[in-house]
Amino acid sequence: MKKLGIIALTLFMQAFFAQTNRFVYQVTMKPDASDKNDIKTENAYLDISPEKSVFYSENRIKRDSIIQSAMQSGGARGFNRDQMENLRSIINYSVEKDKKNQKTIFKDRIGRDVYTYEEDRSLNWKILPETTKIGEYKVQKAETDFGGRRWTAWFTTDLPYQDGPYKFGGLPGLIVKAEDDKGEYSFDLMKNYKIADFPTLNQFGNTIKVKRADYVKQQKKFMEDPVAFMSQGGGPTPPMRMGGNSNPADMRKRMEDRIKEEAKKNSNPIELQ
């Protein structure tokens, strides 16, 4: 009986530590280059297992859940459009870190499609002696230059994960806080808990695998003329609600204005180069 008890305890401990750990970060952004007073804040998840980690928007998984429920209960008529509007996210990307192969995979929506690439730059951290306390964690300072910004990170060895939000990682502990020196982007750890497994992230549109340099080119094309970019690929245009007396030309004009306005509001990306 004693031996069976030890085996049961061992299996329980293995199952416990095999669980995925979710770290919730508050992401603060100034995405509009023409209006630095426009500050956006939303939460993002960093889910970590022994094999990989995934960083993505909390609103995204909530929207995916609503879409899935609506499709199961009658298609588009099942959507709560006000609820979907409240869950709009600036964080349209996800970052997956493959720990076994030491690869970072970035995915981002440009227009109707999802572009994905393997990060080809390394993070060269300078670990500094300065320490402080953030919340319940004793943290240490580190700095790096990445994506055209100077970043300061605070990591803790109390959480033994060499990981962090966005593409950040590779420090002796989990990154609790990261911010750029212009005060335009910051990530702050709010809480953490265990989840059973990674959720499935829905991918609408085509997934196009490219080199990072090609992704940057496509992103630039979209920012310069989003309507032309979305038209060049052919296929259906983004869905429009057509009322009984709606003029298709007017509807298209409103759609184009919305796309241009959204592109303008995201003119200060997290990576400048």
Side-chain angles (χ1 to χ4, degrees):
M1 289 296 293
K2 184 177 179 182
K3 189 174 182 180
L4 288 173
I6 293 172
I7 292 172
L9 179 62
T10 301
L11 291 173
F12 172 79
M13 294 299 289
Q14 287 176 343
F16 180 81
F17 286 110
Q19 284 184 313
T20 300
N21 291 275
R22 170 168 290 170
F23 297 89
V24 183
Y25 288 84
Q26 179 178 283
V27 187
T28 305
M29 304 158 280
K30 297 180 181 179
D32 188 343
S34 65
D35 184 5
K36 295 299 177 65
N37 292 319
D38 183 21
I39 301 172
K40 304 294 186 185
T41 301
E42 63 178 280
N43 287 348
Y45 294 154
L46 175 64
D47 295 344
I48 303 177
S49 77
E51 295 81 25
K52 68 175 184 178
S53 70
V54 184
F55 181 77
Y56 58 97
S57 167
E58 178 185 69
N59 282 353
R60 174 179 175 179
I61 202 69
K62 289 181 177 179
R63 284 170 65 91
D64 282 359
S65 178
I66 292 170
I67 291 170
Q68 187 174 5
S69 297
M71 297 307 288
Q72 290 174 350
S73 61
R77 277 179 279 181
F79 282 115
N80 182 326
R81 296 185 181 277
D82 291 336
Q83 190 177 16
M84 291 289 284
E85 189 66 25
N86 291 334
L87 292 174
R88 290 177 71 84
S89 176
I90 293 175
I91 304 171
N92 293 312
Y93 59 80
S94 64
V95 181
E96 180 175 329
K97 303 186 185 93
D98 180 339
K99 299 187 178 183
K100 180 180 178 181
N101 298 308
Q102 295 295 301
K103 291 182 178 180
T104 297
I105 307 300
F106 181 83
K107 296 180 181 180
D108 188 20
R109 178 170 296 282
I110 307 179
R112 293 191 296 270
D113 298 317
V114 174
Y115 287 76
T116 178
Y117 66 82
E118 181 182 332
E119 178 56 61
D120 55 3
R121 299 162 296 177
S122 59
L123 284 160
N124 299 310
W125 292 103
K126 180 181 180 182
I127 298 178
L128 303 171
E130 185 177 345
T131 61
T132 187
K133 199 167 185 184
I134 297 178
E136 61 185 286
Y137 302 114
K138 180 182 178 182
V139 295
Q140 187 170 350
K141 189 176 184 179
E143 294 179 341
T144 191
D145 290 307
F146 186 78
R149 295 181 186 272
R150 180 72 174 168
W151 290 92
T152 297
W154 296 89
F155 67 93
T156 179
T157 54
D158 295 342
L159 297 167
Y161 305 97
Q162 295 185 3
D163 212 328
Y166 192 57
K167 298 177 181 178
F168 302 123
L171 287 166
L174 186 77
I175 294 173
V176 173
K177 181 179 180 65
E179 59 185 343
D180 75 304
D181 61 354
K182 297 179 181 179
E184 295 175 352
Y185 283 86
S186 68
F187 302 85
D188 295 271
L189 180 63
M190 306 299 290
K191 59 183 177 180
N192 67 284
Y193 51 90
K194 291 185 181 296
I195 59 174
D197 202 357
F198 291 90
T200 299
L201 300 178
N202 292 329
Q203 299 283 8
F204 301 103
N206 298 316
T207 298
I208 304 170
K209 189 174 181 180
V210 296
K211 297 290 188 182
R212 184 178 63 85
D214 294 325
Y215 162 80
V216 172
K217 289 177 183 176
Q218 295 300 316
Q219 189 183 48
K220 185 178 180 182
K221 284 182 181 178
F222 177 75
M223 295 304 297
E224 289 173 347
D225 194 339
V227 176
F229 181 92
M230 294 182 73
S231 300
Q232 70 183 4
T237 56
M240 297 178 287
R241 291 187 70 192
M242 303 295 286
N245 298 316
S246 297
N247 184 317
D250 290 343
M251 292 293 290
R252 183 171 183 82
K253 177 66 167 59
R254 286 200 292 272
M255 181 194 73
E256 292 178 353
D257 289 343
R258 178 179 60 79
I259 293 171
K260 289 178 180 177
E261 182 63 22
E262 286 185 359
K264 175 179 173 292
K265 288 180 178 179
N266 290 281
S267 54
N268 183 37
I270 187 170
E271 292 186 29
L272 299 173
Q273 61 186 40

